[in-house]
Amino acid sequence: MKTLAIDTSNQTLAIAVVDGQQILGQSQTMAIKNHSSALMPAIDLLMQSVGIAPKELERIAVAKGPGSYTGLRIGVTTAKTLADTLHIPLVAVSSLKSIAANCVGVSKLIVPLFDARRNNVYAGGYRWQEGELQPVIQDQHVALTELLQLLAQQPSEVLFVGADVAKFAPQLIEALPSAQINPVALWNYPNGVVLAELSAVEAPVPSIDDFVPEYLKLVEAEEKWLASHTPGADTYVEKI
């Protein structure tokens, strides 16, 4: 099945076109500052370079979050528009799971994490079982200290992976001396081919129109509004 995969959930812009097990082409840029202006030209260039017309696509895969609010909106909106226009399925894959899936052959508990500011992170826990990546700890927005307490209760060793892991490394190792910081640089970044592979075993979203990213956290403006209003009021329900 010809699949276009899109991941703009963080700073990396990763796209790929695959046909079943055949990789037709991919693009991975780590320092894109404006996904809104870069994504569609990148898709167009990749599609032209591999000789695939949009009407030949049979599935769109997109990273659904968590991650950057702006990045997620751009990627998901683009994916929804393409899937709806082409009348093909849209498959959404966890951004954290996509990072964890880079770590092929790892027997440890794989913990992908993204910086969520103020010593909070987006994180999940995954493990390879019989060739498939299975969730062990659900994706969540959590204080780093709470995540480390949770991981300390796990029976197996941990591998932390993701581009933001380096900034937390001292805290991670202090709390979990036996944990490993991913040593393979490429594993830290979204990969369109990996995303496409994961989409092959996920069910399409039931409604393209109704699908929204999984932010796992309110945007800062919503948090401030909630902090300044009394829960339970009619306006509270309407504004949320």
Side-chain angles (χ1 to χ4, degrees):
M1 179 176 286
K2 292 183 177 66
T3 301
L4 170 65
I6 301 169
D7 191 332
T8 58
S9 57
N10 287 287
Q11 189 169 3
T12 299
L13 189 159
I15 57 176
V17 178
V18 305
D19 186 0
Q21 297 297 313
Q22 182 182 8
I23 301 171
L24 301 180
Q26 64 174 316
S27 174
Q28 184 183 37
T29 307
M30 316 304 191
I32 291 293
K33 295 183 178 180
N34 192 343
H35 290 317
S36 63
S37 62
L39 179 56
M40 283 309 301
I43 292 173
D44 187 50
L45 178 60
L46 180 61
M47 297 280 287
Q48 289 188 42
S49 67
V50 300
I52 297 293
K55 65 182 180 181
E56 297 179 71
L57 292 172
E58 300 169 275
R59 176 170 56 207
I60 304 293
V62 68
K64 66 180 179 181
S68 157
Y69 292 110
T70 302
L72 285 171
R73 284 195 294 268
I74 292 166
V76 168
T77 299
T78 301
K80 289 175 63 173
T81 300
L82 289 171
D84 185 56
T85 302
L86 297 170
H87 306 292
I88 57 178
L90 172 66
V91 180
V93 178
S94 161
S95 307
L96 290 166
K97 183 177 183 180
S98 184
I99 294 291
N102 289 335
C103 307
V104 178
V106 172
S107 59
K108 296 179 173 67
L109 176 64
I110 304 168
V111 179
L113 64 80
F114 306 147
D115 184 12
R117 303 173 60 188
R118 301 172 185 168
N119 215 40
N120 296 312
V121 295
Y122 299 113
Y126 293 86
R127 188 189 304 281
W128 289 106
Q129 295 178 349
E130 298 181 358
E132 293 188 5
L133 192 63
Q134 301 293 339
V136 177
I137 299 172
Q138 68 177 3
D139 292 357
Q140 56 192 284
H141 172 265
V142 62
L144 181 60
T145 52
E146 293 182 23
L147 175 66
L148 293 173
Q149 291 172 2
L150 176 62
L151 293 175
Q153 301 170 10
Q154 297 295 317
S156 62
E157 294 184 347
V158 171
L159 171 71
F160 289 104
V161 62
D164 294 332
V165 167
K167 69 180 67 177
F168 297 114
Q171 292 172 268
L172 303 179
I173 297 304
E174 180 181 1
L176 300 171
S178 63
Q180 181 182 9
I181 304 298
N182 165 47
V184 184
L186 192 60
W187 287 0
N188 287 328
Y189 301 95
N191 184 298
V193 173
V194 172
L195 178 63
E197 291 175 344
L198 290 174
S199 75
V201 296
E202 299 276 356
V205 301
S207 169
I208 292 174
D209 287 341
D210 295 332
F211 172 68
V212 294
E214 292 189 0
Y215 297 114
L216 300 186
K217 177 181 179 292
L218 295 175
V219 297
E220 188 171 358
E222 290 175 320
E223 288 182 330
K224 289 181 178 179
W225 189 91
L226 287 173
S228 63
H229 290 70
T230 302
D234 291 340
T235 53
Y236 174 83
V237 175
E238 292 172 358
K239 287 204 174 188
I240 295 302

